[in-house]
Every structure is written in C-alpha cells, then in structure tokens.
Amino acid sequence: ARLGDGGRVKDRIANTAPTRAESHVAETASFKRLERAIPDHWIVRYASERDYGVDCLIEPVTKPGGPVTGDLLAIQMKSIDEIAWNGTGDDAEATFSGTKVETVSYWMGLPVPVFLCVHDRLADEVVYARVKRQVRHRYLEVGKQETFGFRLSRKFILDLATDRGKITFLVSFLQERAQPAFARALTELLVQREVFARYIQHHLDRDSFMEVETEELARLSHFYQTIRIVAEFSGIEWTIPSIEHFIHEDQKLFKHEWMHIHERTQDSILRALTPIFLQVLRKGSEIVGKQEIHYWYAHDPILAHYVDELILNPWMMDSIEKGLAHVVP
C-alpha cells in the first residue's frame, strides 16, 4: 500500500510541475530576433518591470569602440502570429491595433524617442513604428477612441540580410531625438528669417584674408546648429561638415593654430548653409502647419498660429528666397 501511495504522489508531482507559457516563449523569441537585427555594439537595457509599456531601453553607439553618449530610445515589443499586409514590396502596409490610449499618453510623456516593434513570428521579421511621430500626425484620433492603431510599413523592417533596416532605424531615432528642440529652433529661424537673410548677404564676398571675430564665429556656429536641428527633425539630408572641420581646414590653409577662421572659410560655410536654411523654413512650416497641425495647436499654439499666417501669406517666404536666389546653386 505504501508503495502504491508513493507512486501516486510521484505522478501528482509530475503532473503539477510548472509549464512555460507560450506567450513567454514568443516574448523571448521576439527579443532574440530584435537583438539580431540591431548592431552588436549598441547597448540594450531590459526593463525589470514592463507594466507601463516599455520593455527595454537601447543606447545607440556610432561604431564599435565608439563613445557612449547617453542617448536612449525606448522599445515596446509585441509578438503576433502573422502581420496581415496590404500590398506588396515597400508599399505594403498593415495596422497593429489595440494599444490603449493610456499607454500612448505615457509614451508621449517620455523624454526619449519611443518605438513600437512588432515581431511577425511566421516570417520571423521585426517591423518598427515611430510612436510619437504617428501620434503627432493623427493627433485627433487619440482623443476620440479608447485604443490607437499604429500603422506598419514594410519600409521599416529590421531585416537581417542587409544594413538597410539598421540605417533607417538609426535615422528615425536621430530625427525623433531632435523633436524637443525643433519648435524653439524653427521659431527662431522663422521670426528672424529676414535678419538671417541679411546676415548671409552681408558676410559673403568679403576679403578672404580677414579674420572673423570670436563673436561672429559664435553667431555663425549658433546659426549652423539651429538649422541643423530643424533639418534633422524634418528629414532633410545633412551633408555639411562640422564647424570644427572648417576650423581645422582653415588652420591648415592659413597656418594658424588659434580658434579663429577667415572670411574665406565663413563664406564657404554660409554658401553651404543657405540652401538648407531655405529648405528648413519651408519643410518646418509644412510639418507644423499641415502634417502635425492639430498636435502643434494643442502644444504650441503661438507657433502654430504664426505658421498658419505664413502659409496664408506666401509672399512672406517668397521674398526671402528671391533675396538669396543668387547664393543657391
């Protein structure tokens, strides 16, 4: 009898052993797939508590052995059996539905870019969506429903075969990282557009061998950085070397070692900046006044109203472009 009792206890223990939930298996597979898709030198910090919609923080590092800058992005990982794509190739799109508005609101309040990553288990693909950008573009939808559907695109797959996905992901991060400073930078460029236009015209074609005063160099550096912020957020390609690069080249050319440049170098910088200056005025205004108008009227109504006036009075921008037409190639 005692032998039979022992056997029954053994069977009961075996039948009540914990099992690994399928959801946990899918979650682990999703994170493994994500890690394979991002560069090995990026730093991934997993959240110990995931109840609030952030599964991990990623710190992009520019290259192996590169500096750790402290720039972070937040990831919410989701796993589904199969994404129902509409269309083919890069034009294919889908919707990931059911994200609670409370979660979306939490994401919008985070001080870092946020990405929703969806793992298609059947295809073993990870697709990402820029959370804050989609909310800004479709701001009214957030207040009309209890859940929000994020649009997915095959353009934004973190593929394993090429570096394309990594590059587009990094570009998306850099664009979103510039958002907090975008409004301030765009406001300055728009309000001071005539001042900046005169500044450009006044400092072209001067004596190449004259040194630029430190105050003027500081003004030039500020102008450069302000344009770059708006350009990065607006998705305008930035190919202009850094101010430090121009200083280094100036020092080599003029055989000087101090932190000055000459008018010849300032002329080169301003001619490179002018076309992008004109682009950011237009593109930045389009983002605020058209693409994300409801968001900006809710969060920066003064800027939104001012941009509205500029759009309704196109001559106000046209005059700047005509005045600098001789500078633009």
Side-chain angles (χ1 to χ4, degrees):
R2 285 195 296 271
L3 181 61
D5 291 341
R8 285 191 290 273
V9 171
K10 177 182 178 182
D11 291 341
R12 186 165 64 250
I13 291 175
N15 292 331
T16 57
T19 60
R20 181 156 164 74
E22 291 186 9
S23 60
H24 293 171
V25 175
E27 182 182 77
T28 300
S30 299
F31 284 113
K32 287 182 177 179
R33 176 59 177 78
L34 176 65
E35 288 186 344
R36 287 162 57 204
I38 62 175
D40 292 336
H41 51 276
W42 287 15
I43 303 170
V44 181
R45 298 185 175 92
Y46 289 101
S48 58
E49 296 184 19
R50 299 173 184 169
D51 294 338
Y52 297 103
V54 172
D55 291 322
C56 65
L57 296 173
I58 294 179
E59 184 171 353
V61 180
T62 54
K63 59 184 179 180
V68 178
T69 61
D71 287 330
L72 297 172
L73 60 93
I75 294 288
Q76 169 71 75
M77 197 79 215
K78 294 293 183 180
S79 178
I80 62 176
D81 291 334
E82 183 179 7
I83 297 175
W85 293 107
N86 294 313
T88 58
D90 284 350
D91 294 329
E93 295 183 345
T95 300
F96 182 83
S97 304
T99 303
K100 293 181 180 179
V101 168
E102 290 87 346
T103 301
V104 174
S105 177
Y106 172 72
W107 286 340
M108 293 300 289
L110 292 176
V112 297
V114 181
F115 292 86
L116 172 66
C117 292
V118 181
H119 181 213
D120 181 326
R121 293 196 294 271
L122 182 63
D124 195 25
E125 293 177 335
V126 171
V127 187
Y128 72 88
R130 286 171 60 177
V131 166
K132 294 185 179 182
R133 185 173 189 265
Q134 290 206 24
V135 173
R136 290 194 303 267
H137 278 231
R138 299 155 53 207
Y139 194 69
L140 290 184
E141 295 180 33
V142 179
K144 293 180 179 179
Q145 49 207 26
E146 295 182 358
T147 62
F148 187 83
F150 285 93
R151 294 169 184 167
L152 307 178
S153 170
R154 289 197 64 86
K155 295 178 182 177
F156 304 118
I157 288 182
L158 289 168
D159 57 310
L160 299 175
T162 69
D163 288 332
R164 175 188 173 187
K166 299 173 185 177
I167 293 171
T168 56
F169 187 68
L170 180 60
V171 169
S172 297
F173 161 69
L174 294 174
Q175 289 180 355
E176 197 61 46
R177 185 186 63 174
Q179 195 275 335
F182 164 75
R184 182 176 64 252
L186 178 63
T187 300
E188 180 176 355
L189 292 177
L190 289 174
V191 172
Q192 300 290 331
R193 64 190 183 281
E194 294 182 357
V195 174
F196 286 129
R198 290 195 296 269
Y199 164 72
I200 292 170
Q201 293 169 335
H202 180 70
H203 287 85
L204 295 178
D205 299 318
R206 304 181 79 177
D207 184 347
S208 297
F209 298 95
M210 286 179 56
E211 291 185 8
V212 175
E213 297 293 334
T214 304
E215 181 179 349
E216 286 299 315
L217 180 56
R219 182 178 289 110
L220 177 64
S221 177
H222 175 71
F223 186 46
Y224 175 105
Q225 296 297 340
T226 305
I227 294 174
R228 182 164 190 172
I229 289 170
V230 181
E232 284 188 346
F233 181 70
S234 303
I236 297 172
E237 184 179 7
W238 188 267
T239 59
I240 304 175
S242 66
I243 292 292
E244 290 74 17
H245 170 84
F246 282 108
I247 291 174
H248 180 69
E249 293 299 310
D250 188 281
Q251 291 171 341
K252 289 198 301 182
L253 178 63
F254 290 95
K255 311 301 181 184
H256 289 173
E257 297 180 357
W258 49 86
M259 194 65 131
H260 284 172
I261 62 173
H262 296 76
E263 291 291 352
R264 172 175 173 169
T265 301
Q266 178 167 241
D267 186 286
S268 298
I269 297 172
L270 289 174
R271 289 184 186 277
L273 286 175
T274 299
I276 302 181
F277 168 59
L278 297 177
Q279 284 185 64
V280 299
L281 292 179
R282 291 288 189 183
K283 184 64 175 178
S285 297
E286 181 183 341
I287 291 172
V288 172
K290 295 181 180 179
Q291 297 175 5
E292 301 176 358
I293 184 170
H294 299 295
Y295 171 85
W296 289 104
Y297 260 110
H299 292 269
D300 195 337
I302 295 176
L303 173 59
H305 185 69
Y306 182 57
V307 169
D308 254 356
E309 286 189 353
L310 293 176
I311 292 174
L312 292 173
N313 298 279
W315 61 268
M316 299 173 73
M317 298 284 262
D318 293 344
S319 61
I320 299 296
E321 293 177 345
K322 290 177 181 178
L324 293 173
H326 65 288
V327 187
V328 180

